[in-house]
Amino acid sequence: MNDDILYIEERSLNAHPAIETQFYDGWVLRFAGGYTKRANSVNPLYVGALPLDEKIAFCEGVYTRQGLPTVFKLTPASSEGLDELLARNGYEVVAPTNVMTRPLAETDAVDTLVTVEDEIDARWQRSFFALNGVTDNVKMATASAMMRHILQNVLCARIEKEGWIVACGLCVVERGYAGLYDIVVDPLCRKQGYGYRLCSALLGSAYKLGAHSAYLQVVAENAPAMALYAKLGFVYLYQYWYRVKS
């Protein structure tokens, strides 16, 4: 089980790259100016040699110097005792997120309603920001830089209606796994099957690129998204959560 978690976690770090990364005794410290917790958190991927309390203090110092809160992203495979130690140090659980997976097959067909391209272009980015309500220029510049740092194969999908992009999504393919990210549908166009068709098209395109499995990450409290992904055939694999100092 821990190996399965590590496979997904490594790929998800590459699919959502930070601007800067520091490695410390098996832990990966990520920085992106505060844009998303995922890209500004400590990821304790591997077992190290140093005491946990010493490592926590080190991370707190690094993030404080960057003007950022210290955030830990934990999984069931994280260092034994780390979650409990962080809790005792005043770190609270934030945003439990389910990781779901499914195999890909030839039956995952590309949908003609959906346009899928192999690059993240400016129009797709503008639509992504607009559909997510992102208007801050600094955040948009940071997100654009992070997307440029994706070194793996990417698939960008969009659905247009009367010349406007009403749904878009991103898939990153690495070492046989296709990760679904940034799936968003215009609120005025929801409950019309666009999310399902968008994801299906990305999965079909990823299969054609040689991917044999897919994964995604969804906040556990997001019931509509959970229902959509279950309908697509995804099943629960594990949960990750953040620890943030209160």
Side-chain angles (χ1 to χ4, degrees), residues 12-238:
S12 69
L13 291 178
N14 292 335
H16 190 79
I19 302 300
E20 296 178 309
T21 301
Q22 181 173 341
F23 298 92
Y24 172 60
D25 193 44
W27 291 5
V28 183
L29 284 63
R30 288 156 48 87
F31 309 89
Y35 179 76
T36 79
K37 287 190 289 295
R38 198 184 325 172
N40 294 273
S41 58
V42 181
N43 292 254
L45 289 188
Y46 312 106
V47 176
L50 298 176
L52 290 179
D53 54 356
E54 178 180 331
K55 296 174 73 167
I56 292 171
F58 174 87
C59 293
E60 290 175 341
V62 173
Y63 279 88
T64 297
R65 287 192 296 274
Q66 294 295 318
L68 296 170
T70 307
V71 179
F72 288 82
K73 179 174 180 282
L74 304 177
T75 75
S78 297
S79 302
E80 184 176 354
L82 176 59
D83 189 51
E84 294 81 2
L85 181 56
L86 289 171
R88 290 197 298 271
N89 287 350
Y91 284 81
E92 295 185 350
V93 172
V94 174
T97 300
N98 293 339
V99 178
M100 307 177 74
T101 62
R102 57 157 287 191
L104 297 180
E106 193 171 355
T107 51
D108 290 308
V110 176
D111 191 322
T112 56
L113 176 70
V114 185
T115 300
V116 180
E117 298 178 326
D118 60 0
E119 64 176 354
I120 304 174
D121 62 21
R123 183 168 180 244
W124 186 94
Q125 282 192 349
R126 288 195 300 271
S127 300
F128 167 74
F129 293 137
L131 291 172
N132 280 286
V134 179
T135 58
D136 184 283
N137 289 330
V138 174
K139 289 183 178 180
M140 287 191 285
T142 300
S144 297
M146 291 165 63
M147 291 178 186
R148 289 195 299 271
H149 279 73
I150 301 174
L151 304 180
Q152 290 68 36
N153 289 322
V154 297
L155 295 167
C156 283
R158 68 179 188 271
I159 296 176
E160 296 189 46
K161 186 176 181 180
E162 300 177 354
W164 294 92
I165 295 178
V166 298
C168 67
L170 178 68
C171 179
V172 182
V173 181
E174 180 190 353
R175 290 178 284 162
Y177 278 78
L180 294 183
Y181 291 90
D182 302 329
I183 307 299
V184 59
V185 178
D186 188 314
L188 298 177
C189 297
R190 290 175 184 169
K191 297 184 180 180
Q192 298 181 37
Y194 288 161
Y196 184 93
R197 299 181 72 169
L198 192 79
C199 293
S200 295
L202 286 171
L203 296 176
S205 299
Y207 179 79
K208 289 186 175 182
L209 277 180
H212 56 72
S213 302
Y215 71 91
L216 56 83
Q217 302 158 326
V218 55
V219 175
E221 294 181 350
N222 190 340
M226 291 286 293
L228 167 63
Y229 298 137
K231 185 178 179 181
L232 282 160
F234 283 88
V235 297
Y236 176 92
L237 180 63
Y238 67 94

